[in-house]
Amino acid sequence: MSLKTIEIYGKMFSCHDCGTEHVLVFLHGFPLDHTIWNDTASFLSDRMRVIAPDLRGFGKSDIPQAKVVTMEQFAEDVLLLLHQLGVASKIVLCGLSMGGYIAMQFAKKYSERLAGLVLCDTKSAADTETAAWNRRKRADRLSDLGMTSLADAMLPNLFGNSPDEQKVSDIRKIMLRQPLQGVAAADRGMAARPDMTDLLATFEFPCLVICGEYDKISPPEEMRQIAQHIKNSSFEIIPGAGHLSPVEEPKIFAEAIKNFLTCLYEK
Ligand code: MLT
């Protein structure tokens, strides 16, 4: 495990970076940090260089001053981070949920940097007006209510039907240590994110769409439709898992990625 600290325009980013050869970048979900990828990365870093940043305002990365961090801003951070890490080659980008929203923005703006894309337990649709309003309200109240109330509200929807209690407790701990200001800014950014569904048909790179069988937030049927919009895509269901499929089933998740990489690089 190798943790680096990278500076971008005076802001510090913390980033897991290990392995060799082709580059795989993991983007975490909300309100989490790069450590959710530790188990998955351990199955992959013998054959890939695995990079997993803490996004702006999460983990050990600097907290934004801005009230809103857009998905576009996060995507730009990823591009600059690659530059600072000396990655000039095309990458495979894998985003979980909020990480998927960011990955789609990255694909829109910097498609020339992508060898492939993995969209995991995410959505291409924007929030409905009600959902966006609820998010903004949640973000505005976060400094009063604290991360405990957010974790209590989110956790019941994140795991499959028979969750591993240790993993639930680990995810809760990860949530509780996230900075309120960073979490609120990302929540407002998600409320403002555009609908990306029309973009999917323009993807020229191979894409793997992965979904936990019991994902309540981005259910398999919704994710199957994402895959159907993309010309060169495959769709994988992770049996038994919920929304946090790489956390619940890291080995199966890593196998799906390995198969995707084999098709991508060894054809
Ligand atoms: C996540 O896991 O990143 C969140 O469920 C994303 C969201 O709130 O839309």
Side-chain angles (χ1 to χ4, degrees):
M1 209 55 54
S2 158
L3 209 56
K4 293 182 178 166
T5 303
I6 308 292
E7 183 177 344
I8 301 171
Y9 294 141
K11 295 264 175 266
M12 305 313 290
F13 285 76
S14 177
C15 179
H16 162 101
D17 182 8
C18 80
T20 52
E21 288 250 0
H22 302 301
V23 176
L24 173 63
V25 179
F26 281 130
L27 304 180
H28 62 78
F30 171 93
L32 302 165
D33 62 30
H34 83 275
T35 59
I36 65 155
W37 297 111
N38 285 353
D39 290 345
T40 306
S42 71
F43 293 112
L44 292 164
S45 42
D46 58 330
R47 56 180 288 187
M48 297 290 289
R49 178 172 174 190
V50 178
I51 298 175
D54 286 338
L55 295 164
R56 180 187 288 243
F58 292 89
K60 294 197 170 80
S61 291
D62 274 357
I63 300 168
Q65 298 305 313
K67 270 191 84 176
V68 185
V69 179
T70 61
M71 301 303 106
E72 205 174 354
Q73 174 69 69
F74 283 124
E76 189 186 329
D77 288 344
V78 174
L79 184 79
L80 296 176
L81 195 68
L82 291 174
H83 178 74
Q84 294 298 82
L85 290 168
V87 177
S89 58
K90 289 190 179 199
I91 61 162
V92 174
L93 185 59
C94 171
L96 167 71
S97 198
M98 179 182 77
Y101 309 155
I102 299 166
M104 282 181 258
Q105 275 295 334
F106 189 98
K108 179 178 176 195
K109 295 188 75 182
Y110 316 116
S111 63
E112 72 287 354
R113 295 302 312 270
L114 289 181
L117 183 68
V118 184
L119 296 174
C120 162
D121 300 282
T122 192
K123 293 168 188 290
S124 60
D127 277 359
T128 61
E129 265 182 41
T130 311
W133 187 86
N134 284 335
R135 263 195 216 278
R136 286 191 292 268
K137 191 166 140 205
R138 179 169 80 174
D140 291 345
R141 297 174 68 201
L142 193 62
S143 56
D144 292 332
L145 297 180
M147 284 307 292
T148 308
S149 78
L150 184 59
D152 288 345
M154 287 190 71
L155 275 167
N157 293 321
L158 296 184
F159 286 84
N161 284 353
S162 7
D164 174 333
E165 290 310 323
Q166 185 58 51
K167 290 190 180 188
V168 177
S169 154
D170 291 346
I171 289 294
R172 185 181 174 77
K173 279 189 200 132
I174 295 174
M175 285 181 169
L176 295 185
R177 70 180 182 228
Q178 300 310 315
L180 293 169
Q181 210 175 318
V183 170
D187 218 2
R188 294 190 189 97
M190 287 193 285
R193 75 186 193 282
D195 192 309
M196 303 297 274
T197 309
D198 286 349
L199 182 85
L200 302 172
T202 69
F203 290 171
E204 295 296 340
F205 37 77
C207 193
L208 170 63
V209 178
I210 307 184
C211 188
E213 182 182 10
Y214 299 115
D215 186 340
K216 300 181 193 106
I217 297 174
S218 356
E221 264 330 293
E222 196 175 325
M223 290 223 67
R224 192 187 301 277
Q225 281 172 26
I226 292 184
Q228 281 167 354
H229 280 100
I230 303 171
K231 286 183 279 258
N232 187 358
S233 70
S234 49
F235 179 60
E236 289 268 348
I237 289 194
I238 306 289
H243 187 60
L244 298 184
S245 57
V247 174
E248 287 186 89
E249 295 293 349
K251 193 158 187 234
I252 300 175
F253 190 92
E255 276 310 312
I257 294 207
K258 271 187 197 168
N259 292 338
F260 179 63
L261 297 174
T262 303
C263 293
L264 211 58
Y265 292 119
E266 289 170 26
K267 252 185 185 165

